[in-house]
Amino acid sequence: MEKQEKNTEVCPPVDLSGEAGWTPFDAPSLVGASLRFVSGEPDGNRYRVRYYKDDAEQLRARIWFGPETEGPPGHAHGGAMAAVLDEVLGLAAWAAGHSIVVGNLNVSFRNLLPLEQVVTVESEVVSAQGRKVMVHGRICLGETVFAEAECLCITIRDK
Ligand SMILES: CCCCCCCC(=O)SCCNC(=O)CCNC(=O)[C@H](O)C(C)(C)COP(=O)(O)OP(=O)(O)OC[C@H]1O[C@@H](n2cnc3c(N)ncnc32)[C@H](O)[C@@H]1OP(=O)(O)O
């Protein structure tokens, strides 16, 4: 079988601007330099992401799924969408003041997400009781929802 050449060309810049009323927010710095999988290559071919807070102080992200996130031909891998929801919804809890890791992430894939398109991740911290913080979120563009998730975050025990 012939070996397929890997395309190593870097994709052109993309516009990750937020919407009116959004303020840029450096969410990954809340947890230090550890979040390289989604946020680590801002000019690469995997993901490109920029974080914001909206006027209700909820975390938002504008994100581009690059060719390295491909699953079904021309579209994002489900695991690639789940990774984004894990990071953004976990960071939404951090941004609300909770030091957490994600304990459970329940994702529903609603529509195929075309590659190399800038989409939005919305999040909402819906409850915080004891060590459990529930965050809901979705990857969408206008009225189209690509994936939605419920994320149970658990606060880290004091060492
Ligand atoms: C640095 C942070 C970056 C954040 C952004 C990125 C998000 C991530 O990718 S985090 C990485 C993925 N997550 C992980 O690897 C987490 C691995 N899991 C763990 O470390 C542990 O299981 C942990 C911390 C979640 C819970 O363990 P522990 O501290 O012993 O708590 P534990 O006593 O078991 O549970 C506490 C409560 O949460 C509940 N709970 C814990 N896990 C779950 C779960 N998966 N589903 C439902 N409930 C759960 C328990 O039932 C318990 O409830 P109750 O108090 O009512 O009895």
Side-chain angles (χ1 to χ4, degrees):
M1 208 167 74
E2 244 179 66
K3 226 179 168 184
Q4 240 184 339
E5 282 289 309
K6 195 179 173 200
N7 185 357
T8 51
E9 262 179 53
V10 178
C11 296
V14 295
D15 180 4
L16 296 171
S17 308
E19 294 178 13
W22 292 11
T23 313
F25 182 72
D26 185 6
S29 71
L30 291 168
V31 295
S34 68
L35 292 181
R36 290 193 296 270
F37 184 64
V38 174
S39 295
E41 287 177 22
D43 304 309
N45 279 355
R46 192 165 63 234
Y47 303 104
R48 299 180 190 176
V49 57
R50 196 174 299 162
Y51 282 95
Y52 299 88
K53 276 194 172 176
D54 69 10
D55 44 17
E57 288 292 296
Q58 300 288 355
L59 192 66
R60 296 279 179 266
R62 296 284 279 164
I63 182 155
W64 173 88
F65 285 76
E68 290 176 12
T69 67
E70 187 170 38
H75 295 85
H77 193 289
M81 288 189 261
V84 164
L85 288 162
D86 179 59
E87 173 165 319
V88 178
L89 303 194
L91 286 178
W94 277 82
H98 307 283
S99 305
I100 57 86
V101 287
V102 171
N104 179 268
L105 181 66
N106 187 358
V107 182
S108 297
F109 300 106
R110 299 297 187 193
N111 280 289
L112 289 165
L113 195 171
L115 294 179
E116 297 185 52
Q117 182 171 321
V118 175
V119 295
T120 299
V121 188
E122 299 177 350
S123 73
E124 186 186 1
V125 177
V126 295
S127 65
Q129 284 176 329
R131 295 181 59 205
K132 299 176 191 174
V133 181
M134 180 58 79
V135 185
H136 290 178
R138 58 191 199 156
I139 302 173
C140 56
L141 183 63
E143 296 298 304
T144 306
V145 176
F146 300 104
E148 53 194 350
E150 295 164 352
C151 180
L152 175 66
C153 303
I154 309 291
T155 57
I156 302 162
R157 281 184 210 272
D158 288 335
K159 286 261 160 68

